[in-house]
Each structure stands twice: as C-alpha cells, then as structure tokens.
Amino acid sequence: MADIAPIWQPSQERIKASLLSEFMSHLAANGRSFADYSALHQWSVVDSKAFWLEVWNYCDVIGSQGQCITGDSIVSGRRYCAAADTKWFPQAELNYAENCLSYAYQHPDGIALWFRNENGNTQKLTWQQLSDQVSIVQQWLEQNGVTAGDVVAGYLPYITESVVAMLATTSLGAIWTSISPDFGIDSVLERFGQVNPKVLFCCNGYTFGGKSHRLEHNNAAIAAQLPHLNNICQIEYLQQRNDSDDFNDSFSDWQAILQSYQARGIEYHRVSFNDPLFILYSSGTTGQPKCIIHSVGGTLLNHMKEHQLHCDIQPKDRVFYYTTCGWMMWNWHVSALASGATLIIYDGHPFYPQPQVLWQLAEETQTTLFGTSARYLAELENRLFSPSDYYSLNHLKTICSTGSPLYPEQYDFVYQHIKSDVHLASISGGTDICGCFILGVPTLPVYRGECQSSALGADIAAYTEQGVATLTEPGELVCRNSFPNQPIGFWQDFSGKKYFAAYWQKFAGVWHHGDEIQATSAQGWRFLGRSDTMLNPGGVRIGTAEIYRQVNAMAEVQDSIAVGYQQGNDEVIALFVKLAPGCLLTDELQTKLRQQLKTRCSPRHVPAYIVAVDDVPRTRSGKLVEKALKQALHQQTITNMHAIGNPQSIDEAKVRFFAQLT
C-alpha cells in the first residue's frame, strides 16, 4: 500500500504550468475533457489511435501524416490491440533529425549542447553550430555512399561528435547504431558484425576515473573485420599522442572533414514512419546479442510524449542524463532536442575527480532535469555526500532514475539531501522499446518507494503465470495494447519468429519482456526484479529487489546480488555482498543480515548462504546479471561473458560460493 501521505506533491502553480495540463486543455478545446490523470490514461489506452494522433498534433511533429486521417491511416495490421504486426501511421513520412534540429530556426544562437568531461574540458555548441556540423558530416556520408536504409555505426563515448554523427546519419534516412568504447574487440564485432555498417565513427581513446584508454589498436582490428565499410572516421578525442601510438593514417579525421566542406541547408530525407532509425542491442548475457530495430516515427513520437507530458521538458530547459552511447537512455536523451531542450553531457567517471562533479555541472548549467540511476544515488548515500549542502539547484525541477528499482530509503535521501521540492520519477522501460512503460507524472504526488504511473497510451498490467491480471499479487509486467514504439523486429529475423517468441508468445499476443511488478493502492507500481530470476524458496516467489532494498541500506554493505540455488528438491537463496571498506563478513554481521531480512521481509527471504565478494557482476550499463551468476553456480555454460562489464566477478563469486559449500 502507498504511504498515508505523499513524500512530495506538486504545487498548484506547477501543475498549472505543466505541459501535461496544457495537453489536457488542448484536448478539452477539441471536445475531450478529463477530470484527472487517471481518466486521461484510461482514454489513452481505450482509444489509442485518437490519443497518438493528438500527441502528434500537440507536440508539433514535423512530417506528413498521410492523405487522410482515418483509423486505417493511423493503425494497420492483421490484428489490432497489441498484435506484433501492427503498423502505426502507415501513410506518414518524417525525418528524425529534422525534428531534433527544428529549434535551430527559432533560436540559432541558443545553446544546443553543453559538454564536459572528467578532465574539465568543456564545449558548447549553439543550435546553428550543431546544424552546420550536421550539414558537413551529412555531405561526407553522402560522398561515402550512405543512403536511406544503410547502417552507420559509432564506437564512441558520449561526446558532441556522437550527437552530430547520429543526426547526420538519420538526416539521410540511414540507420544509426552505437556502443560505448569500453566494449572490447570481440564484443564490438558480436554486435556490428551482424548489421554490416557502411561507415564507422570511432575515437582514438577516452579517459575514465583518471586513466586513459587508447583505442587505435581496437579500431584497426574492428575495421579489418567489417568487410562492408566504405570509410572510417576517427575522432582525436585524446589530444596527447605518444610516438608509439598505432595511428592508422588511412582513417578519415573528424577535424579534416569539418574543414573540407561548407555548411549548407541540411537536406532531410523523409522516410516512412515505420522505417528503421536505430539498432539497439540486448545485453547478450544468454547468447549472441539481439539486434533490436526501432522505427523512426515510433521512437520520435514516443520520446516526445515521454519528454513533454511525463517529464515536463519545455523549450530552453536543460536536460542532463548520465549515460553512454551503449545504453538506450542515450538515444532517449538526444531526442530531447526535439522538444527544444539543451543537452547537458558528461563523459567520465561520475565521482571523478570529486563526488560532487555531476552536481557542480548541474548547478553551473542550470539543469532542469537530472537523469541518473538508482545505483548512483545509492553510491552518493554510501559516500555520505549531500549535494544540498553545496548547491542550491534552484532550476532543478525533475530527477529521473532508471536502470534498477529505486528503494524507499533512496526517496528519503533525495528529498533530504538533494532537494526537497523536486519531482522524483522512478522510470522503467528498456532497450526492447527504446522508451518507458512506467513513468513519472508531474501533476501527481510522489509516494515513497513507488513508480507513479503507467505511461500514457500503454495498458500496463501485472499478469500471473496463468495470464490473469492481478491488482494484489506480484506478476509479470505486460502491455495489453499496441504502441507505436514497439520494435520493428530483429535484424535479419526475416520471418519474425524470434521477435514474436521474445515478446508476444508467452501471453498470446500480449507484450511481455520479463519484469516482475506489483500494483499499489495509489495506482502506481513497485518493481520486484526480473521475472526470469525470481527467487522461489519453498515454492514462494520472491523478488530480488525486496532483498536488495534491505541489504543495501545497511552501512556495512556497498552492493549485493541474490540468486536461487537448487539444493535437493528445493531452491535456497545465495546472497553475495560487496562490503564497505574496513568491514568483514563476521558471524555477527551474517546474523545481522539474516535478522534484517527476517524481520523486515519474512523468513522466506533469509539466505541459506552469504558470501563476501570483491565486486558484484553487472552489465556494462550497470544492471545486475543475476541469470549469469545463477548459471555459473549450477555449472551451466554462460553463453556470452563479453556482455558482463566485470566478468572476473562471476568466477570470484563461484569460487567463493563453492568454498563455503565444502
């Protein structure tokens, strides 16, 4: 149940000034009045076609909807209502980059990109400068044979050049795909090798946590294994070069490209609403990464809905998200340009050179939306760093957190140590939809430990294993209606069988992707963990998030991961903990951990084994890899260790676990 009182409530002034309220007024002027958000959401899923058409019109999407606006011109397919083959706006044509750069015509001298890295290097691009660079790189791509439907890849950190390269690619109707430079050669080839890019953007290196990483060797090795490349552009991001560096002078140079062309009006190649825009990759922890194709129109329309109606991003707002080019939140962040926002970008370690580095940037740039992860907020708390002690953050309206569940105690930390008057939105979606199913609502109160609401246009429910919706029990997150940002499919899955099996097969035409949730009395949601890693001691299903909430709140624990271990005919819980500096896993601490879980949760939550580890296994984007660890404990083969950011942690946990068994 929700707490009796909300932890935060928007003022009437803020509610009235929100874009969501303006959108509801827009609907009322067109004969659709709704008493509250709940009624608005109900309409948005009952009459999805009308809702998405109104989103297009309200958000001023640039493009053609088609010759006539009828039900068939908005949705087509063999079936409607969450069918995998549904096509939205089948007659529409538009261009992603054209929408992202439209603000340049009104405010060419305004700041579009504000970048800083951990070395203190800062760069600002105005809307005009951004457009000029996109124009130049577009010309270079055209000269290298890139046309609509071709793939262009980025092996890059989040820098201004990454945004320019992506917008130039999509301006041509071509497809952009990217991963971050911390991926090794094999991991890059596992992804780019499937999609055969025509052009590769890369950089000579990057820094993280004060350490430089040279990439010339990686770039050359990767390029040699991508036979369809017409050209490679290497960005000299690391400015100091050693004589021993393996520089490949056959690569094109970013600065040379900028100096070789004159900026001109960008030629936007409009394509079908359902043509491909991005290729994103699954984590690959259970096999070769899936290449998930996202559409031009579905991605843009959904991002504009999420930004404007759920995050209240308004023109001239300044939006920060700590992300890499290998995480879908990067694509989500860049799309904020289409709402007239300035992108605040940081490349480097979020606590280097000092814990306050991101908050200092937020204060200086007058950031209005600060995007981060639950893990980062937990680390702030572990370090006893309170941003409000140093920064007023007067302009900050919204904090978004994603990547993993946000625990109730973290809500307390945000409101006590960051800002008392801020909209804290715990959001969730994923690479599968390049967007969110669960979002914040700027006009509603925030309850401690809860995600506020299902996204507009998404009929979200919790399903039991029998496929029955439940409002009282935990269940698997499903979406029961179609939505424009459902993927086109998987790359080279021509029959669509793999795509259908991944999302639509378990519950007969209803979308699912493996999250376990529970409804709250405030019409919000709590996330309990991944459904495929649910714990099942004594036949009772337990979400791992329930355990992490209690264990990670203890001063002695920095991080943890829990998995089920089959012992005889039952499953028991194995808990692995990364301890705070100076702490040891004594008998007393084990007793304290078990007692905490027993009293705060239930006896079923108490682990049979507690193992201290030096590090907790996570993907490169920071997500726990519970399934891979469980496979390791059961002596099963982990298909793709490359997807794990710290693969040595799996071996360490396995060795220490079996040492305890004996």
Side-chain angles (χ1 to χ4, degrees):
M1 293 182 61
D3 288 1
I4 295 174
I7 196 170
W8 177 81
Q9 192 146 336
S11 65
Q12 288 301 311
E13 180 182 10
R14 176 161 182 171
I15 292 172
K16 186 177 180 180
S18 70
L19 293 182
L20 181 59
S21 291
E22 185 178 275
F23 177 65
M24 294 179 72
S25 297
H26 161 82
L27 294 175
N30 289 285
R32 292 188 174 97
S33 296
F34 303 101
D36 53 23
Y37 178 82
S38 179
L40 172 66
H41 183 271
Q42 180 66 15
W43 167 74
S44 77
V45 299
V46 169
D47 195 354
S48 293
K49 293 182 284 187
F51 167 73
W52 286 108
L53 180 60
E54 291 290 0
V55 170
W56 178 305
N57 294 333
Y58 174 77
C59 293
D60 292 324
V61 174
I62 299 171
S64 168
Q65 294 176 345
Q67 294 181 352
C68 58
I69 305 302
T70 66
D72 289 341
S73 72
I74 299 172
V75 173
S76 70
R78 291 192 299 271
R79 294 180 298 170
Y80 177 63
C81 190
D85 63 347
T86 298
K87 300 297 181 186
W88 285 85
F89 294 93
Q91 300 177 17
E93 293 184 345
L94 72 170
N95 183 276
Y96 176 83
E98 183 178 10
N99 280 272
C100 286
L101 293 172
S102 63
Y103 201 67
Y105 298 107
Q106 305 170 38
H107 300 278
D109 297 326
I111 299 173
L113 308 181
W114 189 330
F115 166 83
R116 179 167 298 160
N117 64 17
E118 66 174 38
N119 298 320
N121 298 325
T122 300
Q123 182 183 13
K124 299 177 188 177
L125 289 183
T126 66
W127 285 95
Q128 187 63 57
Q129 290 170 330
L130 175 60
S131 297
D132 288 347
Q133 290 194 21
V134 170
S135 169
I136 289 170
V137 177
Q138 181 197 60
Q139 294 173 61
W140 180 79
L141 288 170
E142 285 184 305
Q143 184 175 326
N144 283 282
V146 175
T147 60
D150 289 332
V151 176
V152 175
Y155 178 43
L156 295 166
Y158 192 178
I159 52 182
T160 59
E161 291 88 343
S162 307
V163 179
V164 172
M166 186 266 267
L167 292 175
T169 297
T170 57
S171 72
L172 294 169
I175 307 164
W176 175 262
T177 188
S178 60
I179 54 179
S180 57
D182 57 331
F183 279 65
I185 295 170
D186 290 343
S187 294
V188 175
L189 291 173
E190 279 183 326
R191 292 159 174 81
F192 291 170
Q194 295 186 67
V195 301
N196 296 317
K198 187 174 279 190
V199 169
L200 173 67
F201 289 93
C202 54
C203 66
N204 65 336
Y206 67 100
T207 61
F208 190 81
K211 182 179 179 180
S212 294
H213 301 267
R214 309 299 306 195
L215 291 175
E216 287 95 340
H217 170 72
N218 286 26
N219 297 337
I222 291 165
Q225 296 296 315
L226 296 175
H228 298 276
L229 287 177
N230 288 355
N231 210 332
I232 303 102
C233 172
Q234 182 169 280
I235 299 161
E236 300 299 293
Y237 183 39
L238 286 184
Q239 298 175 354
Q240 294 184 347
R241 182 188 306 285
N242 299 320
D243 292 337
S244 61
D245 288 342
D246 182 18
F247 177 67
N248 190 328
D249 59 7
S250 66
F251 290 178
S252 296
D253 175 73
W254 180 271
Q255 287 302 322
I257 292 171
L258 294 185
Q259 295 167 11
S260 299
Y261 299 83
Q262 292 292 323
R264 63 189 187 192
I266 303 171
E267 298 180 11
Y268 296 109
H269 297 250
R270 293 186 180 179
V271 294
S272 168
F273 186 95
N274 295 289
D275 278 352
L277 172 69
F278 297 136
I279 298 174
L280 303 181
Y281 304 97
S282 66
S283 62
T285 53
T286 58
Q288 190 178 40
K290 295 189 292 289
C291 306
I292 307 170
I293 312 169
H294 292 285
S295 70
V296 176
T299 302
L300 176 69
L301 188 63
N302 181 65
H303 284 178
M304 294 182 81
K305 176 208 72 176
E306 293 183 3
H307 290 156
Q308 296 183 32
L309 304 185
H310 288 281
C311 297
D312 200 33
I313 294 175
Q314 306 196 20
K316 297 185 180 181
D317 272 358
R318 294 182 170 178
V319 178
F320 168 79
Y321 224 103
Y322 182 73
T323 181
T324 73
C325 294
W327 190 21
M328 55 79 46
M329 292 310 299
W330 179 79
N331 308 75
W332 190 92
H333 187 221
V334 175
S335 292
L337 291 170
S339 295
T342 297
L343 304 186
I344 308 301
I345 303 166
Y346 181 81
D347 176 52
H349 195 289
F351 290 96
Y352 183 87
Q354 299 293 336
Q356 66 266 29
V357 61
L358 297 187
W359 299 102
Q360 183 176 338
L361 178 65
E363 182 83 346
E364 179 182 342
T365 59
Q366 299 181 351
T367 290
T368 55
L369 184 149
F370 186 98
T372 184
S373 65
R375 188 183 180 195
Y376 170 78
L377 294 173
E379 184 62 22
L380 275 182
E381 190 170 7
N382 288 336
R383 292 176 182 240
L384 303 178
F385 181 75
S386 176
S388 62
D389 289 346
Y390 304 92
Y391 307 107
S392 63
L393 302 173
N394 288 331
H395 293 82
L396 185 62
K397 299 188 300 182
T398 307
I399 294 175
C400 288
S401 173
T402 191
S404 58
L406 195 62
Y407 308 130
E409 293 78 11
Q410 291 179 289
Y411 284 71
D412 300 335
F413 176 80
V414 167
Y415 285 107
Q416 293 170 12
H417 297 283
I418 297 179
K419 191 174 182 181
S420 60
D421 184 18
V422 71
H423 177 209
L424 176 58
S426 180
I427 64 178
S428 180
T431 300
D432 307 280
I433 60 170
C434 197
C436 301
F437 278 139
I438 307 293
L439 284 155
V441 181
T443 60
L444 293 182
V446 173
Y447 289 91
R448 185 175 180 266
E450 296 185 14
C451 303
Q452 279 180 291
S453 176
S454 303
L456 289 168
D459 186 13
I460 303 301
Y463 266 21
T464 66
E465 283 296 312
Q466 292 73 37
V468 178
T470 173
L471 293 174
T472 57
E473 301 298 324
E476 184 155 337
L477 184 154
V478 299
C479 185
R480 297 179 291 191
N481 69 328
S482 180
F483 48 96
N485 57 303
Q486 60 195 51
I488 298 171
F490 298 156
W491 192 258
Q492 302 215 334
D493 175 27
F494 301 112
S495 68
K497 289 181 179 179
K498 292 181 181 178
Y499 167 65
F500 182 83
Y503 304 121
W504 305 92
Q505 189 167 304
K506 184 174 181 179
F507 296 115
V510 173
W511 173 284
H512 78 97
H513 66 232
D515 282 329
E516 194 84 2
I517 60 173
Q518 185 170 10
T520 72
S521 60
Q523 297 184 327
W525 299 98
R526 284 196 177 95
F527 275 77
L528 306 176
R530 294 288 297 171
S531 59
D532 56 2
T533 54
M534 288 290 286
L535 305 171
N536 197 31
V540 178
R541 289 168 63 83
I542 293 174
T544 53
E546 299 175 75
I547 291 178
Y548 304 146
R549 170 188 170 185
Q550 300 301 329
V551 172
N552 293 355
M554 297 176 65
E556 298 90 343
V557 178
Q558 279 193 339
D559 202 1
S560 63
I561 184 169
V563 297
Y565 179 70
Q566 197 68 31
Q567 197 165 61
N569 295 322
D570 195 11
E571 181 177 275
V572 297
I573 299 172
L575 174 66
F576 298 82
V577 291
K578 178 183 178 181
L579 297 174
C583 291
L584 297 174
L585 188 60
T586 61
D587 291 342
E588 290 78 13
L589 180 54
Q590 291 202 48
T591 299
K592 182 178 178 181
L593 283 163
R594 289 188 168 95
Q595 189 63 31
Q596 175 91 344
L597 290 167
K598 181 178 180 180
T599 56
R600 296 293 184 90
C601 297
S602 79
R604 294 286 188 188
H605 290 73
V606 176
Y609 303 99
I610 303 177
V611 182
V613 291
D614 295 334
D615 205 3
V616 166
R618 290 180 178 270
T619 64
R620 296 179 186 276
S621 61
K623 295 183 178 180
L624 291 168
V625 286
E626 298 157 324
K627 190 168 185 177
L629 179 55
K630 184 174 182 178
Q631 288 173 325
L633 298 190
H634 290 89
Q635 309 290 359
Q636 298 169 357
T637 301
I638 301 173
T639 311
N640 197 341
M641 290 288 284
H642 299 305
I644 302 171
N646 51 349
Q648 72 286 348
S649 63
I650 294 283
D651 293 331
E652 178 207 13
K654 180 179 176 181
V655 168
R656 295 190 180 184
F657 176 76
F658 284 111
Q660 189 174 120
L661 280 185
T662 57

